[in-house]
């Protein structure tokens, strides 16, 4: 079963019905390439149609996950950007031993660090952590058809 897929979902040719994942970009990273990855992510997110504050928040969230992978996940990882219909999804895979749900809580103000996962969750449509035999995958998503993604040529409604 894929992340986010409901139990009992129908399968066709091995893929869940309605799952139209389109790979947009994938790249391995290390501490030395984390900034390069962030700049490339900005371009790919824009190409996918995400702009403005939503794009900036999404890129920051993913960068926090990349940084966590470098610091706590074995020093390297892999990023994958996908489009699933009107949702942009980013998976960050590392080789760390994983974390627990308490790691997503906001630490006290006098505690340095420890806010990366919390920021990723708060800045996106959600954060999912999946333990794998060889590490951890952190997944964030954002809807591409929200109010900030309207066509700039379309007048705003006067509701």
């Amino acid at each position: 079963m894929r992340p986010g897929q409901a139990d009992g979902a129908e399968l066709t040719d091995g893929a869940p019905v309605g799952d139209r994942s389109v790979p947009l970009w994938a790249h391995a990273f290390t501490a030395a390439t984390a900034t390069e990855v962030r700049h490339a992510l900005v371009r790919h997110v824009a190409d996918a149609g995400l702009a403005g504050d939503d794009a900036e928040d999404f890129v920051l969230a993913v960068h926090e996950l990349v940084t966590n992978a470098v610091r706590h996940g074995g020093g390297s990882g892999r990023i994958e950007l996908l489009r699933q219909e009107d949702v942009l999804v980013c998976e960050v895979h590392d080789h760390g031993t994983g974390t627990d749900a308490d790691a997503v809580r906001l630490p006290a103000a006098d505690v340095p660090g420890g806010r990366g996962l919390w920021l990723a969750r708060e800045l996106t449509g959600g954060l999912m952590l999946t333990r794998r035999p060889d590490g951890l995958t952190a997944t964030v998503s954002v809807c591409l058809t929200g109010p900030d993604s309207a066509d700039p040529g379309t007048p705003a409604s006067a509701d």
Side-chain angles (χ1 to χ4, degrees):
M1 180 170 21
R2 289 189 159 183
Q5 176 185 338
D7 289 335
E10 295 182 40
L11 299 177
T12 305
D13 298 328
V17 171
D19 183 9
R20 305 287 183 251
S21 293
V22 177
L24 301 177
W25 177 63
H27 193 76
F29 61 84
T30 64
T33 61
T35 300
E36 169 190 318
V37 165
R38 182 176 181 148
H39 293 299
L41 181 64
V42 167
R43 290 189 305 273
H44 290 286
V45 164
D47 289 347
L50 193 61
D53 289 345
D54 288 343
E56 290 176 17
D57 288 351
F58 189 74
V59 169
L60 176 57
V62 172
H63 186 72
E64 289 292 333
L65 298 177
V66 168
T67 301
N68 277 0
V70 168
R71 289 186 181 161
H72 309 292
S76 65
R78 182 166 180 79
I79 184 171
E80 294 183 43
L81 187 66
L82 312 156
R83 183 174 182 150
Q84 296 176 348
E85 298 185 13
D86 68 342
V87 177
L88 192 60
V89 177
C90 191
E91 298 177 347
V92 177
H93 310 280
D94 68 31
H95 303 288
T97 57
T99 186
D100 58 31
D102 288 339
V104 183
R105 293 189 181 151
L106 182 63
D110 61 343
V111 174
R115 290 165 179 77
L117 294 178
W118 182 84
L119 279 169
R121 184 188 68 200
E122 295 299 311
L123 293 172
T124 64
L127 168 68
M128 183 170 52
L129 302 173
T130 307
R131 287 191 182 145
R132 303 179 330 273
D134 64 338
L136 181 80
T137 297
T139 306
V140 290
S141 61
V142 64
C143 188
L144 293 169
T145 57
D148 288 349
S149 63
D151 180 0
T154 305
S157 64
D159 290 338

